[in-house]
């Protein structure tokens, strides 16, 4: 949660970087415009201006823009202070160029408005007022101190150089403001959308954490009564009067299966929450683990066709984990809900990994489900509160060092020849136990 509470500052810095890159583009346009203006004034109108000094200012502006490009392309964030400094450099260079070319008599003095409006969009209120005060002071100073600009005599009206300069300045202001304010506004909207998404994720994760705490507490509380029921049921199974009744024996057997199922569910909940029950692990073999899991699942589900293909070449000891069993059970349950007539379960071992594949003949996953597989509250069943099963499945696999992937695949032996596939890939070292021979060899 702390990450999301810091999100606004991160959001501001990321958006600031995008806006800073827009400023770099705007500054390159200013450089090209100033070079063109100096060339036209000297070559076309033969107006005397201090060209070397103005070119020196341009060289400084080019160097600053290159440095800004290198700095902001390497950095993932730009602070508001850096944006203020960049705008301040633009104001200073513009003031220097205006000082050398007539001061307030230069029609391009109205470019100060471009700096003020951009600062109003990019900066906070205090920084914007600072830019306003600085530009006002520069404009006032230019009205008193500047190098006079000697314009040749020209006709009145539109053919006047002063009027032509005003028109060009207005067109530049309007065009640049339209282009760059639009881009900056787009960056701000994209940043706000990202911030809204982050807040939504924070709310969802907060709810999941609360739910996890509640489930963990309930699991701890249920552990004691389940243990008591297990002891009582064991005593009943040893009583002669119950052993003589076949119907009662069958009912006690069914009760024991459901009691073990409840224990495995609680163990899965606790492991998903980062805890482990003391009885959650036991020594077994991979073939026995899978065969027992399949038989237990089939006994509690009336499925027409269930195909189990155990392609693991050799048996080896593993640490049986009830959370692993619960994870596979949940995916089998989901496949059964989507395809109650046909489910396929395949187990293989490749590259020191245990691969478990569950396929069904249902309608398959939607594109939205495939892109958001394993995220909470993302379900294709259309009922509120669903989607948490797959979320916990992915979480348990991650804790065991494995991965879970989902996709749709053509099933040639399925009734509908289509369906969804969920694939577990778990490292063998996470569940495999060393044999006595391997241990002796290590010695």
């Amino acid at each position: 949660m702390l990450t999301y509470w810091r999100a606004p500052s991160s959001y501001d810095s990321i958006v600031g970087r995008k806006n800073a890159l827009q400023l770099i583009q705007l500054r390159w346009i200013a450089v090209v415009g100033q070079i063109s203006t100096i060339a036209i004034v000297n070559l076309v109108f033969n107006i005397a201006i201090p060209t070397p000094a103005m070119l020196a200012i341009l060289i400084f502006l080019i160097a600053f823009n290159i440095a800004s490009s290198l700095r902001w392309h390497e950095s993932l964030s730009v602070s508001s202070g850096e944006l203020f400094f960049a705008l301040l450099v633009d104001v200073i260079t513009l003031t220097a160029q205006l000082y050398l070319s007539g001061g307030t008599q230069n029609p391009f003095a109205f470019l100060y408005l471009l700096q003020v409006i951009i600062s109003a969009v990019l900066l906070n209120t205090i920084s914007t007022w600072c830019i306003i005060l600085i530009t006002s002071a520069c404009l006032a100073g230019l009205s008193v101190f500047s190098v006079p600009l000697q314009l040749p005599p020209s006709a009145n009206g539109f053919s006047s150089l002063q009027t032509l300069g005003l028109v060009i300045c207005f067109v530049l202001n309007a065009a640049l403001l339209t282009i760059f304010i639009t881009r900056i506004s787009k960056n701000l909207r994209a940043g706000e959308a990202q911030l809204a998404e982050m807040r939504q994720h924070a709310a969802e994760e907060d709810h999941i954490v609360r739910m996890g705490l509640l489930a963990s507490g309930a699991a701890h509380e249920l552990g004691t009564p389940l243990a008591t029921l297990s002891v009582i049921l064991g005593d009943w199974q040893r009583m002669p009067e119950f052993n003589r009744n076949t119907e009662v024996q069958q009912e006690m057997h069914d009760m024991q299966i459901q009691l073990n199922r409840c224990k495995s569910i609680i163990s899965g909940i606790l492991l998903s929450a980062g805890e482990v029950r003391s009885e959650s692990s036991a020594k077994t073999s991979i073939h026995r683990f899978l065969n027992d899991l399949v038989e237990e699942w089939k006994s509690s589900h009336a499925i027409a066709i269930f195909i189990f293909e155990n392609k693991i070449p050799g048996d080896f000891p593993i640490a049986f984990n009830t959370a692993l069993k619960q994870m596979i059970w949940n995916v089998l349950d989901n496949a059964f809900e989507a395809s109650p007539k046909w489910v396929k379960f395949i187990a293989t071992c490749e590259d020191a990994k245990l691969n478990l594949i569950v396929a069904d003949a249902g309608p398959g996953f939607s594109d939205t489900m495939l892109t958001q597989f394993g995220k909470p509250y993302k379900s294709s069943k259309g009922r509120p509160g669903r989607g948490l099963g797959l979320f916990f499945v992915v979480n348990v696999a991650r804790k065991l060092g494995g991965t879970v992937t989902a996709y749709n695949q053509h099933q040639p032996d399925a009734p509908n020849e289509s369906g969804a596939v969920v694939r577990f890939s778990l490292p063998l070292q996470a569940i495999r136990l060393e044999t006595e021979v391997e241990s002796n060899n290590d010695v």
Side-chain angles (χ1 to χ4, degrees):
M1 289 300 296
L2 294 177
T3 301
Y4 289 99
W5 285 116
R6 290 195 297 266
S9 60
S10 176
Y11 149 76
D12 291 337
S13 60
I14 294 174
V15 173
R17 178 180 179 272
K18 293 181 179 179
N19 292 333
L21 296 178
Q22 296 294 330
L23 280 181
I24 291 175
Q25 296 180 13
L26 180 61
R27 198 171 293 118
W28 285 126
I29 293 176
V31 168
V32 173
Q34 292 180 36
I35 293 175
S36 301
T37 303
I38 293 174
I40 292 173
V41 167
N42 278 282
L43 301 177
V44 177
F45 297 106
N46 295 320
I47 300 175
I49 56 174
T51 303
M54 298 181 73
L55 290 178
I57 296 172
L58 276 176
I59 292 174
F60 167 78
L61 190 61
I62 292 172
F64 176 77
N65 214 30
I66 293 175
S68 299
S69 299
L70 296 176
R71 164 71 175 86
W72 291 338
H73 274 290
E74 294 178 356
S75 176
L76 296 178
S77 63
V78 176
S79 65
S80 58
E82 290 176 302
L83 289 177
F84 174 79
F85 177 74
L87 285 171
L88 187 60
V89 170
D90 292 335
V91 171
I92 293 174
T93 54
L94 176 61
T95 303
Q97 295 286 37
L98 291 175
Y99 171 79
L100 297 172
S101 57
T104 53
Q105 293 181 356
N106 191 322
F108 289 99
F110 288 99
L111 288 176
Y112 278 127
L113 289 176
L114 180 64
Q115 308 296 334
V116 172
I117 295 175
I118 291 179
S119 65
V121 176
L122 298 183
L123 306 178
N124 54 38
T125 304
I126 297 177
S127 299
T128 301
W129 279 107
C130 288
I131 293 293
I132 293 174
L133 293 176
I134 292 172
T135 53
S136 300
C138 291
L139 194 61
L142 289 174
S143 64
V144 180
F145 305 101
S146 64
V147 176
L149 184 63
Q150 301 295 331
L151 295 177
S154 60
N156 296 326
F158 189 76
S159 60
S160 170
L161 291 180
Q162 185 76 18
T163 304
L164 184 61
L166 287 173
V167 172
I168 294 175
C169 182
F170 172 81
V171 172
L172 280 175
N173 273 330
L176 293 176
L177 285 175
T178 300
I179 294 173
F180 287 93
I181 297 301
T182 301
R183 292 183 181 179
I184 290 171
S185 298
K186 183 179 179 180
N187 291 339
L188 293 175
R189 287 193 299 270
E192 290 171 357
Q194 182 183 7
L195 181 59
E197 184 179 358
M198 294 170 67
R199 287 173 175 169
Q200 179 65 25
H201 286 322
E204 290 179 356
E205 290 194 359
D206 180 66
H207 184 69
I208 292 171
V209 169
R210 294 177 184 273
M211 183 191 64
L213 292 175
L214 177 63
S216 179
H220 280 294
E221 294 295 330
L222 288 173
T224 300
L226 285 177
T228 302
L229 288 176
S230 180
V231 172
I232 295 175
L233 188 59
D235 293 339
W236 285 0
Q237 291 174 340
R238 290 189 293 269
M239 289 183 179
E241 54 270 26
F242 289 155
N243 291 332
R244 288 191 295 266
N245 192 323
T246 306
E247 183 177 355
V248 172
Q249 286 182 353
Q250 182 61 38
E251 290 180 351
M252 287 191 297
H253 176 71
D254 293 340
M255 291 174 61
Q256 185 64 52
I257 292 176
Q258 297 304 320
L259 185 62
N260 293 336
R261 170 81 167 136
C262 291
K263 288 182 178 180
S264 66
I265 291 174
I266 290 176
S267 298
I269 292 174
L270 290 176
L271 186 60
S272 299
E275 304 178 40
V276 179
R277 297 182 67 203
S278 58
E279 57 176 316
S280 63
S281 298
K283 183 178 179 180
T284 184
S285 67
I286 185 64
H287 285 178
R288 182 183 302 173
F289 167 70
L290 294 175
N291 291 334
D292 291 346
L293 183 149
V294 168
E295 291 300 323
E296 183 179 351
W297 187 85
K298 287 172 59 180
S299 65
S300 59
H301 294 77
I303 186 169
I305 300 176
F306 182 81
I307 303 174
F308 173 50
E309 298 181 0
N310 188 349
K311 298 181 179 180
I312 300 176
D315 201 6
F316 51 85
I318 65 169
F320 163 68
N321 195 301
T322 54
L324 175 60
K325 177 181 177 181
Q326 181 62 36
M327 177 180 66
I328 302 172
W329 194 294
N330 283 344
V331 178
L332 289 172
D333 285 347
N334 286 340
F336 177 73
E337 289 188 24
S339 173
K341 296 183 178 180
W342 188 92
V343 173
K344 190 174 185 179
F345 181 37
I346 304 174
T348 63
C349 275
E350 296 177 1
D351 300 328
K353 289 184 178 180
L354 174 64
N355 298 315
L356 304 174
I357 302 172
V358 178
D360 62 58
F365 293 110
S366 65
D367 293 338
T368 303
M369 277 297 301
L370 289 176
T371 56
Q372 300 181 346
F373 182 81
K375 293 185 178 181
Y377 307 112
K378 304 299 181 182
S379 173
S380 59
K381 300 174 184 176
R383 297 194 293 272
R386 303 309 295 259
L388 292 177
L390 291 177
F391 169 73
F392 286 124
V393 165
V394 174
N395 194 32
V396 170
R398 180 181 59 81
K399 289 180 181 293
L400 295 175
T403 58
V404 181
T405 56
Y407 51 92
N408 296 322
Q409 188 176 43
H410 177 78
Q411 303 292 340
D413 53 348
N416 298 329
E417 298 186 354
S418 63
V421 179
V422 177
R423 178 188 178 96
F424 305 88
S425 183
L426 305 174
L428 288 178
Q429 61 180 3
I431 58 174
R432 185 168 184 170
L433 295 176
E434 291 185 353
T435 62
E436 294 182 1
V437 174
E438 291 173 338
S439 300
N440 292 334
N441 290 337
D442 292 338
V443 175

